[in-house]
Amino acid sequence: MSTEAIHDDHHDHKPSGIGRWLFSTNHKDIGTMYLIFALVMLFLGGASAMMLRAELWEPGLQIVDPDTYNNLLTNHALIMVFGAVMPAAAGMANWMLPMMIGAPDMALPRLNNLSFWLLPFAALMLILSFVVPHFGGGVPINTGWTLYPPLSLQAGIGMDFGIFTLHILGISSIMASINIVTTIVNMRAPGMTWFKLPLFAWAWLLTGLLLIMIMPVLAGGVTMLLFDRHFGTSFFDAAGGGDPVLFQHLFWFFGHPEVYVLLLPSIGILGMVVPTFSRKPLFAYKPLVYSMFFLTALGMVVWAHHQYTVGMSKEVTTYFMIGTILISIPVGYMLFSFIFTMWRGSMTFETPMLFAVAIVLMFSFAGVTGIMLAVVPADLQYHDTYFVVAHFHYALIPGALFGIYAGVFYWLPKWTGHMYDERLGKIFFWWTTIAFNLTFFVQHFVGLAGMPRRISDYSPVFTDFNQISSIGAFAFGASHFLFVWIIIKAVRGGKRAGDKPWDGAQVGNAGLEWALPSPPPFHSFTTPPVVK
Ligand code: CU1
């Protein structure tokens, strides 16, 4: 089908009212729905985190029992990973990718609709998994997002709802990934060769491929869990000759690359934001793309660094240790690439750039604690302590969430046609950044001092630091009302955004706001460049 034909097809079919959204095959509408869904889930996941931090305000149990605490903790993780970060990144992919590569829409628009509309059902299932145990459904999901047996074999019916939630999410992610990969491979405008792709497109190509490789493994793992629970198998049940450690391998074969699924789209966003606000092309674009490939490939083969304590052989743990430490090479490369892009640039510090600079600093810090955790004898000490919690929140909040915020502020003018309130944006940046550091920095210390994670109570010696952490968390949560207000304000009005809202310099024929070594494609928002 030619490009024109696809175009016509879309103009023929234009439902109005609620139908516009229910039956939408338009990448911008679906992108908007993904982003709104992600925002709602961010508040739900945030609310569970607030309850955890309230419970941890002082020693002793105040507001929830231990099982409910662990259920909230599981929900917090699942909602943030699958409900907030992934859909937000998918929403940005939907909005921006077709325009970046010069395509009229996504390659598979109807599949796109289905990928999105599965999500509300997954969310409903997850909410049911939380509610049902309180109506005689047995023990809730008290395992954390890792769902390790034997605990997950003993939980009540809530666990089955949780497993179905993951099945639906998995189907949705795989379909969305197939769509994104197909779009990037097949729908590029003439002249948009591989090494002219914006970094965001590269990031999503690799993210999509990763998801296609890992989601089926998680689906298989939780299906085996379901069979152990109801159909008399014993894959993971030692009493029947099974092995619970097998589940850990299956889970982390998915789980470690999943971290990169969360990080890569945000790295792609940095690849757009940093050149624009430095008014220089991306430093070493090609090696940066290669290092993303290296990161993706290496990320597939280091999973067992999450399970050093289960008694694997010395040779195996050494392999996983060395593999994990090697990952600091591509990650370090990316960060230096962004630093050298900024180097001697005409930098300005609007909200997206503030987030970008903060990400480079705070994510590097997570890299350092990551190397500490990769070292086997050290990890045996840190395992299951708050040090791990502090580490991955420094990786994921700057690395994934702040990257998404950078993207939201960067593209809000293109999405809404209005400039957001820059003053409020800057307040939001400083508020979240300070609150985030307040919450998680101290957790390194309680962790090193031995405070275990995933436990609703703690020794009184940890009270002070936990209260600092809770104050930070409440401030972090509260800052998001400002975030929503900034977005609402920009949607409703404000200064009109021009073709190039950020005054990104023109380098040759390339607008830096697309951070391309090539001209922006014709389907973009920007005025088409002069064709030679
Ligand atoms: Cu990992």
Side-chain angles (χ1 to χ4, degrees):
M1 199 191 276
S2 75
T3 305
E4 299 321 307
I6 295 171
H7 247 295
D8 289 339
D9 191 59
H10 277 219
H11 287 288
D12 285 342
H13 181 68
K14 254 189 187 165
S16 56
I18 186 77
R20 170 182 166 186
W21 304 100
L22 277 177
F23 308 122
S24 178
T25 53
N26 176 300
H27 70 103
K28 292 180 189 170
D29 283 353
I30 294 174
T32 302
M33 291 195 289
Y34 263 114
L35 287 166
I36 292 170
F37 178 81
L39 190 58
V40 173
M41 288 294 124
L42 182 71
F43 273 80
L44 204 57
S48 33
M50 295 302 107
M51 288 182 72
L52 301 177
R53 283 316 321 172
E55 175 57 54
L56 294 172
W57 176 255
E58 57 186 12
L61 291 178
Q62 292 92 43
I63 46 176
V64 285
D65 61 272
D67 275 333
T68 306
Y69 176 89
N70 284 345
N71 193 8
L72 282 169
L73 180 148
T74 310
N75 286 349
H76 167 66
L78 290 176
I79 292 170
M80 288 307 194
V81 169
F82 293 103
V85 172
M86 287 170 72
M92 293 192 190
N94 258 296
W95 253 100
M96 305 315 292
L97 281 180
M99 294 186 289
M100 280 180 178
I101 66 169
D105 202 307
M106 298 296 282
L108 309 160
R110 291 188 176 88
L111 193 74
N112 204 10
N113 175 292
L114 184 57
S115 309
F116 172 77
W117 280 109
L118 281 174
L119 289 182
F121 293 98
L124 186 69
M125 275 288 191
L126 190 68
I127 291 166
L128 281 175
S129 83
F130 182 72
V131 174
V132 163
H134 296 281
F135 294 90
V139 179
I141 312 180
N142 56 358
T143 57
W145 81 305
T146 51
L147 309 174
Y148 281 177
L151 214 48
S152 53
L153 297 178
Q154 293 153 4
I157 194 170
M159 182 60 72
D160 301 311
F161 281 99
I163 290 171
F164 286 134
T165 305
L166 288 175
H167 278 140
I168 300 173
L169 288 168
I171 295 168
S172 163
S173 302
I174 290 171
M175 292 194 311
S177 299
I178 289 173
N179 204 353
I180 287 168
V181 171
T182 312
T183 304
I184 297 172
V185 172
N186 285 334
M187 304 279 283
R188 282 168 293 130
M192 177 58 77
T193 55
W194 283 110
F195 282 111
K196 286 179 180 170
L197 275 184
L199 201 73
F200 183 69
W202 272 117
W204 250 114
L205 179 72
L206 292 166
T207 306
L209 290 171
L210 261 182
L211 274 168
I212 292 167
M213 289 187 282
I214 63 175
M215 285 310 297
V217 178
L218 175 71
V222 297
T223 306
M224 288 156 83
L225 207 57
L226 194 70
F227 272 57
D228 272 13
R229 287 169 54 81
H230 296 292
F231 305 121
T233 58
S234 15
F235 294 111
F236 309 126
D237 186 0
D243 183 4
V245 176
L246 171 63
F247 182 85
Q248 300 194 6
H249 283 290
L250 290 172
F251 181 84
W252 286 113
F253 184 84
F254 148 82
H256 184 80
E258 172 65 22
V259 176
Y260 298 164
V261 167
L262 304 174
L263 297 177
L264 276 171
S266 289
I267 291 173
I269 291 167
L270 283 194
M272 315 302 290
V273 168
V274 174
T276 300
F277 294 93
S278 306
R279 293 174 181 81
K280 270 176 68 196
L282 200 54
F283 179 86
Y285 162 85
K286 256 192 196 181
L288 190 50
V289 172
Y290 292 136
S291 70
M292 281 167 116
F293 269 94
F294 186 41
L295 179 79
T296 307
L298 207 54
M300 293 291 294
V301 290
V302 296
W303 70 89
H305 58 214
H306 294 273
Q307 41 183 89
Y308 288 149
T309 55
V310 296
M312 295 177 297
S313 72
K314 189 178 88 223
E315 288 74 16
V316 170
T317 45
T318 306
Y319 158 75
F320 281 108
M321 172 171 77
I322 293 170
T324 304
I325 293 172
L326 283 179
I327 286 178
S328 53
I329 297 171
V331 171
Y333 190 89
M334 288 170 189
L335 295 174
F336 276 109
S337 211
F338 294 136
I339 292 169
F340 283 117
T341 304
M342 294 178 207
W343 184 258
R344 303 187 71 178
S346 307
M347 290 166 76
T348 53
F349 297 93
E350 287 86 352
T351 311
M353 187 59 166
L354 285 176
F355 273 112
V357 174
I359 290 164
V360 170
L361 288 169
M362 298 188 297
F363 188 68
S364 307
F365 187 74
V368 174
T369 55
I371 291 177
M372 291 170 70
L373 285 164
V375 177
V376 178
D379 178 76
L380 297 181
Q381 297 299 316
Y382 310 145
H383 190 85
D384 261 345
T385 69
Y386 260 84
F387 189 77
V388 179
V389 177
H391 157 72
F392 71 72
H393 281 92
Y394 263 88
L396 289 177
I397 291 184
L401 197 64
F402 283 4
I404 285 165
Y405 293 163
V408 167
F409 286 105
Y410 184 52
W411 285 319
L412 255 183
K414 295 205 189 274
W415 295 340
T416 64
H418 303 121
M419 301 304 285
Y420 62 87
D421 187 328
E422 187 61 52
R423 195 179 59 94
L424 292 183
K426 285 195 169 108
I427 292 172
F428 175 68
F429 164 77
W430 287 108
W431 187 350
T432 44
T433 303
I434 292 168
F436 156 73
N437 282 288
L438 204 58
T439 311
F440 293 104
F441 198 72
V442 289
Q443 293 186 4
H444 292 98
F445 303 119
V446 288
L448 289 175
M451 179 173 162
R453 62 188 289 208
R454 291 178 169 168
I455 299 207
S456 50
D457 200 2
Y458 56 85
S459 155
V461 294
F462 301 127
T463 311
D464 294 353
F465 278 7
N466 270 289
Q467 293 189 343
I468 293 172
S469 197
S470 289
I471 290 168
F474 299 145
F476 191 58
S479 72
H480 289 77
F481 292 102
L482 177 62
F483 183 55
V484 174
W485 172 239
I486 296 170
I487 294 171
I488 291 174
K489 242 184 118 184
V491 170
R492 287 173 56 187
K495 197 177 133 241
R496 274 217 73 80
D499 281 346
K500 290 200 295 175
W502 301 118
D503 198 20
Q506 197 81 10
V507 174
N509 219 3
L512 269 181
E513 295 200 14
W514 294 96
L516 298 177
S518 64
F522 287 109
H523 291 284
S524 74
F525 281 109
T526 31
T527 315
V530 184
V531 182
K532 285 175 285 188

